[in-house]
Amino acid sequence: MALISLEDLDGLDDEQLDDDITDNPEPMDEVERENLLAHWQAVASTHRVSVPPEMTGPIQEMTRARQQREPVPFAPISRHEKMGEVLYEERVYPAGKWACVTRGEDLYEQSISMAFMKLMRFICKENSAGRYLGMTVPIVSYINMMEDGNTFKKDVLTAFYLPAEFQADPPQPADPDISIVSRDPFRVVSRLFFGTTTEETVGQQIGLLWEILDGSDDLQRQNYMVAVYENPGVPCRRNEIWFLRRDP
């Protein structure tokens, strides 16, 4: 099941669009705009999310700028391997400002998709700076678990790390559902996985990493993060599950 996110932009010209759409600095013509919107609507329909026509502008803007991405900064702590395979890594992410949206749709995938469409509009000029802000990767989601430790709560927070240019003085969103949040440094145990990011697959990855770690009292069990890096149409797309260290 594909997830609507920044990463859908990577595969557009390989799937339904002409190769010159993102290379051509001229405005897209009507056919190109319709094809672009149709692609997003097709991806959305796989999990019952609608992409309205007014998303055409933000989709077009981000498609053109898709090669210009800023990685979210972090400091590596350690890497744990077994027989040449990286089992997990530990990192520290610095304090910073994030644009955050919380949605509570029926499906995890719907919550992420609806939230990211809001973030797209914020990134693409619906902000107090009145300009395209630029993209950072990964886009992350923050999951809260029910008391049983296995079931996701409906509310899912999706977060976009503001580019370095705007960390000191963040543009304010026009959408009241978007909040600019100052987050303290946080430390994660991160494991790479490939494929889709549904509630089922993320749950499996959570269980797998707990097996590898063989229990740890200083990791949170009620909250997890998912980082998405690549186009959902890619068969082996890159994602990460993040376990959060408890505050000392």
Side-chain angles (χ1 to χ4, degrees):
M1 182 181 295
L3 170 67
I4 294 180
S5 74
L6 161 69
E7 311 309 336
D8 281 311
L9 304 176
D10 280 343
L12 292 178
D13 47 2
D14 292 330
E15 296 177 17
Q16 298 178 0
L17 305 176
D18 294 333
D19 289 338
D20 62 352
I21 286 181
T22 56
D23 296 328
N24 186 352
E26 297 300 321
M28 293 183 185
D29 62 28
E30 184 176 354
V31 172
E32 290 173 329
R33 290 194 299 269
E34 289 177 353
N35 287 344
L36 192 61
L37 179 62
H39 169 80
W40 278 67
Q41 289 173 332
V43 174
S45 67
T46 63
H47 45 250
R48 293 171 287 175
V49 172
S50 298
V51 178
E54 55 265 30
M55 286 299 299
T56 302
I59 290 170
Q60 179 179 337
E61 182 96 40
M62 297 188 74
T63 301
R64 292 191 181 282
R66 68 193 179 97
Q67 298 301 329
Q68 302 171 5
R69 300 179 184 177
E70 179 182 323
V72 177
F74 68 87
I77 301 298
S78 62
R79 172 180 290 193
H80 301 262
E81 301 182 9
K82 182 177 182 180
M83 300 181 67
E85 176 189 1
V86 178
L87 297 179
Y88 61 92
E89 299 179 355
E90 190 155 5
R91 308 171 185 153
V92 172
Y93 286 84
K97 295 182 175 66
W98 299 70
C100 302
V101 182
T102 299
R103 299 287 297 196
E105 309 298 328
D106 290 339
L107 298 175
Y108 168 77
E109 299 87 347
Q110 290 176 318
S111 295
I112 300 302
S113 300
M114 298 299 289
F116 188 71
M117 283 193 284
K118 284 180 171 287
L119 290 173
M120 282 181 65
R121 291 192 289 268
F122 166 66
I123 294 163
C124 296
K125 301 183 181 178
E126 290 190 17
N127 57 69
S128 59
R131 53 165 286 193
Y132 175 71
L133 302 181
M135 274 307 307
T136 62
V137 291
I139 299 295
V140 301
S141 60
Y142 188 84
I143 301 166
N144 295 296
M145 308 298 288
M146 302 287 280
E147 291 185 4
D148 62 11
N150 297 312
T151 306
F152 289 21
K153 291 184 178 179
K154 282 191 177 295
D155 285 351
V156 179
L157 183 146
T158 301
F160 158 71
Y161 184 86
L162 291 172
E165 178 183 357
F166 300 106
Q167 281 290 316
D169 186 17
Q172 295 305 301
D175 187 340
D177 289 344
I178 300 174
S179 299
I180 304 301
V181 176
S182 296
R183 178 158 190 153
D184 292 335
F186 61 98
R187 186 166 174 167
V188 303
V189 172
S190 170
R191 177 171 169 80
L192 179 69
F193 70 98
F194 296 95
T196 57
T197 52
T198 66
E199 184 164 343
E200 179 181 4
T201 59
V202 170
Q204 291 170 350
Q205 293 300 321
I206 290 172
L208 177 59
L209 185 50
W210 276 122
E211 289 181 10
I212 292 171
L213 295 171
D214 195 25
S216 178
D217 292 337
D218 62 348
L219 292 172
Q220 298 183 26
R221 288 183 174 269
Q222 295 304 117
N223 305 293
Y224 302 98
M225 297 178 75
V226 179
V228 179
Y229 291 85
E230 293 180 348
N231 170 31
V234 175
C236 292
R237 74 181 175 112
R238 176 189 173 196
N239 314 286
E240 291 173 342
I241 186 73
W242 292 355
F243 284 14
L244 293 157
R245 287 284 184 194
R246 298 184 188 276
D247 294 332

